[in-house]
Each structure stands twice: as structure tokens, then as C-alpha cells.
Amino acid sequence: GESVGLHLPTLSVQEGDNSIINCAYSNSASDYFIWYKQESGKGPQFIIDIRSNMDKRQGQRVTVLLNKTVKHLSLQIAATQPGDSAVYFCAENKNDYKLSFGAGTTVTVRA
Amino acid sequence: KAGVTQTPRYLIKTRGQQVTLSCSPISGHRSVSWYQQTPGQGLQFLFEYFSETQRNKGNFPGRFSGRQFSNSRSEMNVSTLELGDSALYLCASSTTGTGDTEAFFGQGTRLTVV
């Protein structure tokens, strides 16, 4: 079906290491992808986005990679910090005024 | 600049009752969308409004409805509440709601149906 999914529900990472969170999507018509971070008790917070005409975009300590051939999206977090502990969602926008979210990956940073 | 404001933050209702949730978007944003978040189903799209018009609706029963006012503030209503309606209801606003415009979320309203 047309959905955005994440490969792993949980990820445990050592503080200071790099984190990679993966997401697979099935709708090739999607043209805009976003990563959100949700901390406990808060709404999702925008991290970074990428359009379908790009394959890489970098932000502050984060990089999003888009592989349209295999319909795969990933979020890389450099030098993971305790404040990065949260649930991460990928979402796609098919230009139909809504976001379709993946199931989320819970990232836990070990001190 | 104030963010997206949702009221109330917490709500406890009894089965069969109805509830109205409110969302005030970021100033200047005309698109407001609503999502339901549950542990089992994740984030599910409810509906989206722009300039008081509903442009898209998710796969939810007719008990779920919404509206948008001329000042872009939005409300959603759930009638005849069921236990399964217990969830975090999130509102997001953006300038246009189209393609590549960033959506900002509020902190949500936690609804518990008993």
C-alpha cells in the first residue's frame, strides 16, 4: 500500500557516536519528505526536509539521504547527544495537503 | 512569534459524550491540519483546512468533524465518544499546506475516554 515505514522501532546509540535512522516509502509519487523529532509530552518538531529532486541535504549535525531507486530515506545524526533521545518520524507529502507518517523509531542515547 | 496553541492540553470524557478541541495556528498561517496519535496506529491524518475550506479528509468515521474560522483558528469535534478515541490529538499549521511548506505542530490535546 501507499505508506511510509521505518525499518526499526528502536535504536540505542552511544553518546558521541553517529546515528542512522532508516525509512522506506512505497509511493513513488511523493515529492517531499520530512523528518520530525518528538520528545515526550511534546508535538513533533521539524528537523530537516528534502525534495524528490535532491538526494542529500545537510543541516546542523543532521543529514537526510534520499534514494529514489529503492525508495529509501535515512536520517543521520552526527555526534549523538543525550538531547537527541526522542522518537523520530519520517513523513511524506504527496501534495495532497496531508502528511503520511511512518511508525517512528525511538532513539535512546547511552551515556 | 507564538507557536501553534492547542487547548485544552488534557481532557477526560465519558463514553457517549462529545468533545471540542481548539487550535490556534501561527500568525499568518492559513492551513491547519489535525492528526490523531495513538501507540497502535501512530500518526493518522484527520483533516486539513485552508481559508475555512476542508481540502482533504482522512479515513475516520463521521463522528469526527472540524471547521476553520475566518481568523484561521480551527476546532475539531468528536461526537459519541468511544474508548478507542483516546489519543493525542495534534494540530499543525503552515502557510499554505501545499507540497514543500513546513508544518509546525502544537503540543497536542491528550484525550482520555473512560
Side-chain angles (χ1 to χ4, degrees), chain B residues 32-53:
Chain B
V32 174
S33 52
W34 289 88
Y35 294 84
Q36 181 196 64
Q37 186 174 28
T38 59
Q41 298 298 316
L43 280 147
Q44 301 285 319
F45 171 76
L46 282 157
F47 22 66
E48 189 267 359
Y49 290 89
F50 182 84
S51 293
E52 302 178 69
T53 299

Side-chain angles (χ1 to χ4, degrees), chain A residues 32-70:
Chain A
Y32 180 57
F33 302 88
I34 315 102
W35 281 99
Y36 283 93
K37 171 186 180 183
Q38 187 175 24
E39 296 174 280
S40 181
K42 298 184 179 180
Q45 177 187 4
F46 174 93
I47 301 172
I48 192 168
D49 58 2
I50 189 167
R51 292 190 184 191
S52 58
N53 61 355
M54 305 170 67
D55 52 23
K56 180 180 181 179
R57 189 156 189 234
Q58 289 183 291
Q60 187 176 12
R61 282 202 307 119
V62 294
T63 301
V64 55
L65 299 177
L66 177 62
N67 186 329
K68 293 180 287 294
T69 302
V70 295

Side-chain angles (χ1 to χ4, degrees), chain A residues 2 32 34 91-101, chain B residues 31 33-35 44-48 55-59 97-99:
Chain A
E2 299 180 352
Y32 180 57
I34 315 102
E92 62 177 323
N93 188 321
K94 292 170 278 188
N95 219 9
D96 56 357
Y97 314 120
K98 74 175 188 182
L99 293 171
S100 297
F101 285 86
Chain B
S31 167
S33 52
W34 289 88
Y35 294 84
Q44 301 285 319
F45 171 76
L46 282 157
F47 22 66
E48 189 267 359
R55 297 192 295 189
N56 200 354
K57 187 179 190 304
N59 187 26
T98 57

Side-chain angles (χ1 to χ4, degrees), chain A residues 3-49:
Chain A
S3 64
V4 178
L6 287 168
H7 290 302
L8 293 174
T10 61
L11 176 68
S12 179
V13 60
Q14 187 69 37
E15 182 179 356
D17 288 352
N18 297 334
S19 303
I20 298 177
I21 305 167
N22 296 305
C23 178
Y25 66 95
S26 58
N27 191 336
S28 57
S30 295
D31 55 10
Y32 180 57
F33 302 88
I34 315 102
W35 281 99
Y36 283 93
K37 171 186 180 183
Q38 187 175 24
E39 296 174 280
S40 181
K42 298 184 179 180
Q45 177 187 4
F46 174 93
I47 301 172
I48 192 168
D49 58 2

